[in-house]
Amino acid sequence: MIIAIDGPSGTGKSTVAKGVAKKLGYTFFDTGAMYRSVAWMIRKEQIDPQDREKIKKQLPLFSYEIKSDAQGMRRYFACGTDVTEAIREPAISALASQIAAYEEVRALLVQIQRNFGTHRNAVFEGRDMGTVVFPKAELKIFLTARAEIRAQRRLNELFLKFPELASSLQFDQILQEITARDHTDSTRSISPLKQASDAVLIDTSDLSIEEVILKILTLANWKKQYPPMKIFYRIVYWITRTFFKLFFRLQIHGLEHFRPGAGIIASNHTSNYDPPVLSISCPEEVHFLAKESLFHVPLLGRLIRRLNSHPVSRSGSDASTFKQVIQLLQEGKKIILFPEGNRSPDGTLQPIERGLAFIAQKAVCPIFPAYIQGSFAAWPRVRRWPRLSGSIQVVFGTPIDSELCMGQSKKEKEEFMTTQTTSALKNLKAWLEEGAHGTPP
Ligand code: DC
């Protein structure tokens, strides 16, 4: 399995990637060190970084090795010289960013990285691991953090590594350098720094390294356990996901709360966009209910059936719907339910129906609370046709387990699960509105 971790500097990428690799017994590969090593060679050879011809001629002479010292620490060797410390100097950081924009440099290093990843369990960290080098990586992570936090982390790191530079290091200057480097890395024409559409975004600003590692390990474990999607479902899943990523800059948070097995995904409901948005935000196949009349529409009927929709008749009793849902849950499936009943007319949260809690405790399965923000603006009830642009975010919260209320009466259990779900949805909404920092509640 390849785990690709990308993101700008100062997000804790290297430490996190190293930690994840150690815990899983995988090989760790810091691709930034390679770009830094090429920059080191160019400086040693006193080549003008603008002189592309000279750089091209020099590249075939580049060699790169990773060895362990007596204490088991990694040492990086470029052209036979130990460059482990030298490549961390600030001057090399700037030069590495500059030469990383050159096609010939990237072509050489990407090839070395791919060769290294063949038939290996490895954690690769860099800027283009998920987008270019390993587009088929089993798990992709994109780390971010606020620029001020990243600058402070970098300052602390430099103080430790180069104490002699302590008096000359200024927070403002580091912040400026980080912002400039972000700009160069994310605006270059080849392989710019950007989140792959199927990468999980983790904001590390308010998280400890251990918390980030744990999130990634949880995701890696889930990845191994989720059953593979059926081919037709997978195709529609990726097309729909790409659509929402492109037109609505879809962001998905809280996937670390997800786990395999039966469960009800209970979400707010304001728009016809909600069922597809929520389905493609989940890392596995999900099931949902749809009006029976839709199944009689020639093509649509077949399509939604193959996408795990199950008909509910308006005239049918609640009992038959409940039975159907409980059956699916007992088969270990995940089902999306909108416990407010209907789409909210004004985008606000409506009271939750008790049927949700009834089903959860009958099937003895967890409720995964989810909140969708932005779909109301994109397609509210009053609009016949949807808008094709905007911004949508989905967040999953801590699962609510029906076992939590063992020993209580049926009525008490229902009361408890309903109140818990209502407050979970409110908390997720508040978490998004406060800027989506850290782990969702
Ligand atoms: O992660 P780092 O700061 O050590 O990376 C040094 C530079 O190399 C950085 O400016 C971006 C570049 N880089 C890249 O373009 N692609 C990678 N896969 C890794 C690093």
Side-chain angles (χ1 to χ4, degrees):
M1 172 153 145
I2 296 278
I3 300 180
I5 304 183
D6 290 305
S9 52
T11 48
K13 245 180 324 135
S14 289
T15 321
V16 165
K18 231 181 271 172
V20 170
K22 194 166 171 213
K23 288 265 184 217
L24 292 173
Y26 283 19
T27 311
F28 157 66
F29 205 99
D30 166 6
T31 60
M34 294 180 80
Y35 286 90
R36 288 173 180 271
S37 297
V38 172
W40 174 87
M41 173 183 76
I42 287 168
R43 194 174 66 162
K44 183 177 105 11
E45 296 300 323
Q46 299 180 351
I47 298 173
D48 174 0
Q50 310 278 0
D51 191 342
R52 301 274 293 263
E53 278 314 308
K54 265 214 171 133
I55 292 180
K56 244 184 226 170
K57 281 201 192 117
Q58 185 65 32
L59 281 179
L61 303 176
F62 176 71
S63 70
Y64 186 73
E65 274 178 292
I66 306 170
K67 296 181 186 167
S68 290
D69 65 13
Q71 286 78 42
M73 302 302 282
R74 284 170 163 249
R75 310 289 312 173
Y76 297 108
F77 289 79
C79 310
T81 306
D82 184 341
V83 294
T84 316
E85 279 82 30
I87 56 171
R88 301 293 159 193
E89 285 173 24
I92 292 286
S93 301
L95 186 55
S97 180
Q98 192 178 351
I99 57 108
Y102 297 162
E103 201 173 351
E104 51 280 12
V105 173
R106 300 205 76 84
L108 173 73
L109 300 191
V110 165
Q111 200 45 51
I112 301 177
Q113 290 155 16
R114 284 200 184 127
N115 289 345
F116 194 85
T118 317
H119 308 306
R120 260 215 176 92
N121 284 325
V123 182
F124 278 81
E125 65 101 339
R127 303 292 194 284
D128 56 347
M129 297 299 105
T131 48
V132 174
V133 185
F134 299 109
K136 291 194 182 139
E138 283 85 351
L139 178 61
K140 299 180 188 177
I141 306 288
F142 193 85
L143 299 181
T144 59
R146 296 191 290 282
E148 292 73 18
I149 302 255
R150 294 193 282 124
Q152 190 57 53
R153 287 175 183 166
R154 181 93 186 109
L155 192 64
N156 298 347
E157 189 189 327
L158 287 171
F159 272 144
L160 279 178
K161 280 197 180 132
F162 305 102
E164 69 281 7
L165 294 179
S167 55
S168 63
L169 294 171
Q170 301 286 334
F171 175 82
D172 287 345
Q173 191 199 337
I174 304 240
L175 179 61
Q176 222 175 24
E177 280 168 12
I178 282 219
T179 321
R181 213 137 69 84
D182 285 356
H183 181 75
T184 321
D185 293 343
S186 49
T187 54
R188 65 179 177 227
S189 54
I190 342 158
S191 311
L193 166 68
K194 74 169 198 269
Q195 185 186 345
S197 66
D198 50 344
V200 177
L201 179 75
I202 301 178
D203 185 338
T204 69
S205 306
D206 306 310
L207 297 175
S208 68
I209 292 291
E210 288 69 33
E211 284 174 308
V212 183
I213 293 177
L214 193 65
K215 268 176 186 255
I216 299 176
L217 290 175
T218 311
L219 290 167
N221 282 334
W222 292 161
K223 273 276 163 184
K224 287 189 208 149
Q225 293 172 38
Y226 287 128
M229 291 177 188
K230 292 191 292 283
I231 183 103
F232 180 76
Y233 190 100
R234 197 175 339 145
I235 292 169
V236 179
Y237 178 94
W238 284 113
I239 293 174
T240 316
R241 204 171 150 114
T242 308
F243 167 81
F244 282 108
K245 287 269 180 187
L246 282 179
F247 292 96
F248 294 96
R249 305 188 308 276
L250 174 68
Q251 284 189 47
I252 305 162
H253 312 272
L255 277 177
E256 62 274 25
H257 290 313
F258 227 86
R259 46 176 134 109
I264 303 170
I265 299 157
S267 165
N268 64 319
H269 191 19
T270 61
S271 161
N272 278 338
Y273 270 148
D274 294 338
V277 164
L278 202 50
S279 322
I280 53 95
S281 298
C282 297
E284 61 174 325
E285 281 194 34
V286 290
H287 293 248
F288 40 94
L289 304 175
K291 277 186 275 181
E292 193 180 26
S293 56
L294 292 178
F295 290 82
H296 301 307
V297 182
L299 259 174
L300 182 72
R302 283 187 61 185
L303 178 74
I304 60 173
R305 203 179 284 277
R306 290 191 70 181
L307 294 174
N308 300 339
S309 290
H310 303 270
V312 272
S313 78
R314 280 268 174 239
S315 55
S317 65
D318 276 357
S320 69
T321 308
F322 284 169
K323 221 168 134 188
Q324 190 177 13
V325 174
I326 291 166
Q327 163 96 35
L328 287 166
L329 291 167
Q330 284 170 344
E331 288 167 16
K333 309 226 160 86
K334 284 235 170 46
I335 184 149
I336 289 180
L337 293 180
F338 296 109
E340 294 160 281
N342 286 313
R343 275 172 293 160
S344 163
D346 54 4
T348 59
L349 269 172
Q350 308 296 302
I352 282 180
E353 291 181 359
R354 296 179 81 93
L356 171 76
F358 172 81
I359 295 171
Q361 48 146 323
K362 268 271 178 217
V364 199
C365 72
I367 296 176
F368 293 84
Y371 191 86
I372 309 171
Q373 187 191 64
S375 60
F376 179 73
W379 197 358
R381 266 176 87 155
V382 289
R383 270 181 82 92
R384 176 137 191 235
W385 301 108
R387 290 193 172 88
L388 288 178
S389 66
S391 156
I392 297 183
Q393 300 200 63
V394 173
V395 55
F396 295 99
T398 312
I400 301 161
D401 281 302
S402 54
E403 290 110 54
L404 283 177
C405 35
M406 284 286 184
Q408 295 178 358
S409 72
K410 255 169 83 177
K411 205 164 168 248
E412 282 168 342
K413 279 184 195 168
E414 277 178 31
E415 187 70 47
F416 174 81
M417 302 281 283
T418 310
T419 326
Q420 288 281 311
T421 311
T422 307
S423 57
L425 294 186
K426 282 186 185 154
N427 292 339
L428 292 174
K429 177 175 188 276
W431 184 81
L432 281 176
E433 285 169 357
E434 282 158 19
H437 300 306
T439 306

